[in-house]
Amino acid sequence: MITLTNNLKEADFVTHAGNFHADDVFSTALMERIFGNIKLIRLKDYKDDKTKIAYDIGLGEFDHHGALYDKKRNNGIHYCSFGLLWQKYGKKYLEQIKVENQEEVFSIIDELLVIQIDAFDNGEYTIDSPFNIYSLASLIEQFRPKNKNEEENTCFIKAVNFANEIFDRILNDAIIKSKAIETIKIESRKIKDKILILDEFIPYEYALFKLNLDVEFVIYPSNRGGYAAHTVSTKYKGFEPKISFKKEWAGLRDEELQKVSGIKTAKFCHTKLFLATAKTLEDAQLFIKKTKE
């Protein structure tokens, strides 16, 4: 639970007042998770004296605004306050909630959440798009007061509650991804001709790229029955497959697809040529064989 106070002597955590960002909001959410009941003060000015945990203000251990500050990752992205706090306390938190594969989960959360917030807050990443896209950082900003009737601290707490919900989702996703990595390590022994066949569907995409596996297609039982053959893209979350299915199959279904492809139990081929399904495993494999011919 977060208690906001106006008395510096009562507070054990300090962050800045005024417009809040994903950095200080997610930092606050993390501190609440680790320390439980926290007393927080939001100030316009503060000089860190190391008696409290101060972040995004004070020029101390967890502030990234100093003129000489240059702490950055190997990829060149500088740490912001959330990143600094995650480096210091993230593994402690995962141990506290008894997460398995703590090193892997820590790394995944850092890669898929923390770096994004750091990069946006430091102005090292922007979305260049012909239409408006709400990034996680800009979603947090939507909680800022929009009129005189909205009190800043109340809005801040609402933003922290939202951040906690997002963090829970990403934590669960990171745990699932870490388990998938362990499974794919074992399943990768079956890779043949750059095809990975899974006995059941698991969210494999992140694991393939994390493990740098040379795979062009993945086959798995479809939740709609039969088997799905799926292309592998050139990059994680990319849309360009290493190899596309044949153009003449695009958007066809059932008898029409069976006639054009010559695959007896063919069911469907996506118009974007990244997915084809059949009733049998053998025919799912045949999609790939014919594509490569």
Side-chain angles (χ1 to χ4, degrees), residues 46-54 57-62:
Y46 177 71
K47 183 173 177 58
D48 185 29
D49 61 5
K50 298 183 180 181
T51 62
K52 308 174 190 299
I53 295 180
I57 195 172
L59 301 180
E61 182 180 1
F62 306 115

Side-chain angles (χ1 to χ4, degrees), residues 121-256:
D121 199 76
N122 286 315
E124 294 170 333
Y125 180 74
T126 57
I127 295 176
D128 184 15
S129 172
F131 52 89
N132 187 41
I133 294 176
Y134 282 102
S135 65
L136 185 53
S138 61
L139 284 173
I140 290 293
E141 291 175 4
Q142 302 314 305
F143 286 88
R144 291 175 180 172
K146 297 294 193 295
N147 57 63
K148 294 180 180 179
N149 295 325
E150 294 183 289
E151 199 273 322
E152 185 181 287
N153 280 344
T154 301
C155 293
F156 176 81
I157 291 298
K158 288 180 180 179
V160 172
N161 291 338
F162 174 75
N164 267 315
E165 179 70 21
I166 295 296
F167 192 96
D168 277 338
R169 302 290 179 178
I170 292 176
L171 172 61
N172 184 60
D173 184 52
I175 291 170
I176 290 171
K177 280 180 167 62
S178 73
K179 291 178 179 177
I181 288 170
E182 296 306 308
T183 301
I184 295 297
K185 281 180 183 177
I186 297 170
E187 294 294 314
S188 65
R189 300 167 191 165
K190 301 187 211 173
I191 295 172
K192 185 177 180 181
D193 298 326
K194 299 186 179 182
I195 302 169
L196 173 61
I197 299 176
L198 299 174
D199 295 329
E200 61 179 353
F201 176 79
I202 61 171
Y204 60 83
E205 185 183 11
Y206 181 80
L208 292 184
F209 288 92
K210 194 71 173 176
L211 297 170
N212 196 29
L213 296 177
D214 187 12
V215 175
E216 295 173 340
F217 294 92
V218 178
I219 298 175
Y220 51 85
S222 171
N223 59 8
R224 298 183 181 182
Y227 288 83
H230 205 295
T231 64
V232 175
S233 60
T234 56
K235 61 182 180 179
Y236 178 58
K237 290 296 183 183
F239 294 99
E240 182 181 346
K242 293 179 180 178
I243 300 177
S244 298
F245 289 113
K246 289 190 173 184
K247 290 181 180 179
E248 57 264 33
W249 300 342
L252 301 183
R253 293 177 179 271
D254 302 323
E255 291 181 3
E256 188 177 7

Side-chain angles (χ1 to χ4, degrees), residues 43-106:
L43 298 172
K44 291 183 178 179
D45 295 295
Y46 177 71
K47 183 173 177 58
D48 185 29
D49 61 5
K50 298 183 180 181
T51 62
K52 308 174 190 299
I53 295 180
Y55 48 91
D56 218 21
I57 195 172
L59 301 180
E61 182 180 1
F62 306 115
D63 190 11
H64 61 116
H65 294 105
L68 300 178
Y69 180 83
D70 194 39
K71 186 173 182 180
K72 56 189 174 183
R73 295 174 168 83
N74 292 333
N75 63 5
I77 299 296
H78 284 79
Y79 289 92
C80 70
S81 298
F82 185 46
L84 294 169
L85 287 166
W86 181 248
Q87 290 297 310
K88 177 92 172 190
Y89 295 109
K91 291 177 184 177
K92 174 183 177 181
Y93 169 65
L94 296 177
E95 182 179 354
Q96 185 176 305
I97 62 173
K98 296 180 171 55
V99 167
E100 297 179 3
N101 303 325
Q102 289 173 16
E103 289 288 339
E104 194 76 69
V105 172
F106 174 86

Side-chain angles (χ1 to χ4, degrees), residues 217 231 243-247 249 263 269 273 276 284-293:
F217 294 92
T231 64
I243 300 177
S244 298
F245 289 113
K246 289 190 173 184
K247 290 181 180 179
W249 300 342
I263 299 173
C269 183
L273 303 172
Q285 291 174 289
L286 194 53
F287 272 121
I288 299 171
K289 182 179 178 181
K290 285 178 174 286
T291 295
K292 287 187 168 187
E293 288 176 347

